[in-house]
Amino acid sequence: MKYFKFEDSDFDVSRICLGCMSFGKQKAMYEWTLNDDDAYNIISYSLNKGINFFDTANGYSDGESEKLLGKAIKKYTNRDKVIIASKVYFNEGHLKKEAIRREIEKTLLNLDTSYLDIYYIHRFDYSTPIYETMYTLNDLVKEGKVRALGASSMWGYQFNDYQQLALDNHFKKFSYMQNQYNLLYREEEREMNPICKKWNVKLVPFSPLAMGRLSRASWFSSSKRCESDKVAMAKYDVCKDEDIKIVKRVEELALKHDTTMSTIALAWLFKKGITAPIVGITKTKYLDDAVNSLEFSLSEEEENYLEELYTAHNVTSVLKEPK
């Protein structure tokens, strides 16, 4: 495992983050989520592989993901040995002061912890002044309930506005950006990734394998997720005819190097300068692929070969301003 430093501390954080959206009661959010025993097995396995970075959200399976992660941490390790991130937005009140205050208490209770290492705003809130949101988040940091702040998918100018306001008011700035970024969706290279570099913000992308599309040679599979996940279908299937050509190139390089497609796709992300991909998995063997990607290096020629067929995509995951 490879690591990066957390904030200004000496704490080593794994450069693979385990995404916990897969955990929780089936049909509370998706039909393919894992039960407690299977989720515990994956969390235990990830800890044994050196992964100590976990990502969840208040809206994942109605809070069941947070609860399950909290129990697993208690069962397998000590709280101060891991980095736990959660999110706020998809809740009543979105990012208003009272909503953030209410949701952080619920999240801490669910996780059975007194603090979060990273608290993300899950989306941009058009209904709340950004000053109100940043002031409230800054207070949580001052109170010791949150150690660092992050943001997720939004327009680049919106993220820049948050950062500039924080700077101007001596508030805690965002240190992490959790955006959708992979070989099949590279729109973040236009503005968001450069803006993050400007503010020295770490990239921790979600959907690094395009919800499975970059991990197998065939576009579709018989998995419950592939057959039922309408969110994944909306994000990726509309560009299938163009993007399957990129998938085939990932397969070609995986065969050439006798490795997996997941390893190739994740190695490409590391080549682009990300800090830690958020890998949501339902089987432990996929964690091995993620860890192996840390040791795999693509040549510049291979990097270009994977990129050259990309075409512009419609922006997804970013909320549009209400009419």
Side-chain angles (χ1 to χ4, degrees), residues 161-172:
D161 286 349
Y162 274 124
Q163 294 291 74
Q164 189 62 52
L165 183 143
L167 178 65
D168 293 344
N169 290 276
H170 306 288
F171 293 160
K172 182 78 169 179

Side-chain angles (χ1 to χ4, degrees), residues 12 14 27 30 65 75 88 93 101 124 130 133 156 159 189 199 203 219 222 229 237-238 279 303:
D12 290 325
S14 59
K27 298 185 179 180
Y30 294 112
S65 172
K75 184 174 182 179
V88 59
R101 285 285 181 182
F124 180 83
I130 63 174
T133 296
F159 184 62
E189 293 177 356
W199 288 103
L203 296 179
W219 189 265
S222 59
D229 193 334
D237 290 355
V238 67
V279 181
E303 179 185 3

Side-chain angles (χ1 to χ4, degrees), residues 144 221 270 274:
S221 78
F270 285 118
I274 72 154

Side-chain angles (χ1 to χ4, degrees), residues 6-144:
F6 181 75
E7 298 296 282
D8 297 323
S9 74
D10 292 327
F11 189 91
D12 290 325
V13 187
S14 59
R15 294 196 64 191
I16 299 295
C17 177
L18 182 67
C20 299
M21 190 177 72
S22 305
F23 307 153
K25 296 178 181 177
Q26 290 185 357
K27 298 185 179 180
M29 184 174 180
Y30 294 112
E31 295 182 11
W32 48 268
T33 49
L34 301 181
N35 61 32
D36 289 13
D37 289 342
D38 289 338
Y40 286 154
N41 184 44
I42 288 175
I43 294 170
S44 174
Y45 189 84
S46 68
L47 288 165
N48 290 334
K49 298 292 288 188
I51 295 172
N52 62 358
F53 190 5
F54 299 90
D55 179 84
T56 184
N58 62 345
Y60 293 168
S61 295
D62 296 331
E64 289 299 318
S65 172
E66 290 180 330
K67 293 177 183 178
L68 197 154
L69 177 61
K71 291 176 182 177
I73 296 301
K74 292 281 186 184
K75 184 174 182 179
Y76 297 117
T77 188
N78 296 323
R79 173 65 182 90
D80 62 358
K81 301 295 185 184
V82 297
I83 295 295
I84 300 177
S86 194
K87 311 181 191 74
V88 59
Y89 174 82
F90 291 106
N91 43 257
E92 183 182 354
H94 298 315
L95 300 181
K96 295 186 183 303
K97 176 182 177 179
E98 59 271 22
I100 293 175
R101 285 285 181 182
R102 180 189 66 241
E103 294 302 319
I104 188 63
E105 295 303 329
K106 288 168 60 176
T107 285
L108 294 177
L109 181 63
N110 285 344
L111 287 162
D112 193 15
T113 183
S114 61
Y115 68 95
L116 272 183
D117 297 289
I118 306 172
Y119 203 26
Y120 290 95
I121 57 171
H122 214 157
R123 291 295 186 273
F124 180 83
D125 183 6
Y126 290 95
S127 65
T128 303
I130 63 174
Y131 183 90
E132 179 178 342
T133 296
M134 295 306 291
Y135 183 94
T136 306
L137 293 173
N138 188 66
D139 273 356
L140 295 184
V141 174
K142 290 194 297 184
E143 294 165 14

Side-chain angles (χ1 to χ4, degrees), residues 163-284:
Q163 294 291 74
Q164 189 62 52
L165 183 143
L167 178 65
D168 293 344
N169 290 276
H170 306 288
F171 293 160
K172 182 78 169 179
K173 296 190 294 295
F174 293 120
S175 302
Y176 300 86
M177 168 50 67
Q178 185 176 145
N179 53 346
Q180 182 184 351
Y181 185 39
N182 57 59
L183 268 167
L184 302 186
Y185 185 83
R186 293 169 50 201
E187 299 309 299
E188 299 295 89
E189 293 177 356
R190 302 180 188 278
E191 292 189 359
M192 183 57 80
N193 289 2
I195 289 172
C196 287
K197 185 176 182 179
K198 163 191 169 182
W199 288 103
N200 196 28
V201 170
K202 295 178 175 64
L203 296 179
V204 284
F206 68 87
S207 192
L209 298 175
M211 295 179 166
R213 273 67 176 173
L214 286 165
S215 64
R216 56 180 182 263
S218 60
W219 189 265
F220 298 108
S221 78
S222 59
S223 71
K224 185 178 293 187
R225 180 174 191 180
C226 187
E227 293 178 345
S228 65
D229 193 334
K230 294 181 180 179
V231 174
M233 296 174 191
K235 285 183 177 181
Y236 293 108
D237 290 355
V238 67
C239 297
K240 175 179 69 69
D241 291 343
E242 295 83 8
D243 288 348
I244 191 64
K245 300 171 186 176
I246 300 172
V247 171
K248 292 300 182 184
R249 291 198 171 188
V250 175
E251 179 192 18
E252 180 184 334
L253 289 185
L255 291 171
K256 172 185 173 183
H257 292 286
D258 191 26
T259 188
T260 66
M261 292 176 62
S262 296
T263 295
I264 296 292
L266 293 173
W268 176 83
L269 278 171
F270 285 118
K271 188 85 171 178
K272 306 309 288 186
I274 72 154
T275 297
I278 299 173
V279 181
I281 57 101
T282 55
K283 295 180 181 178
T284 55

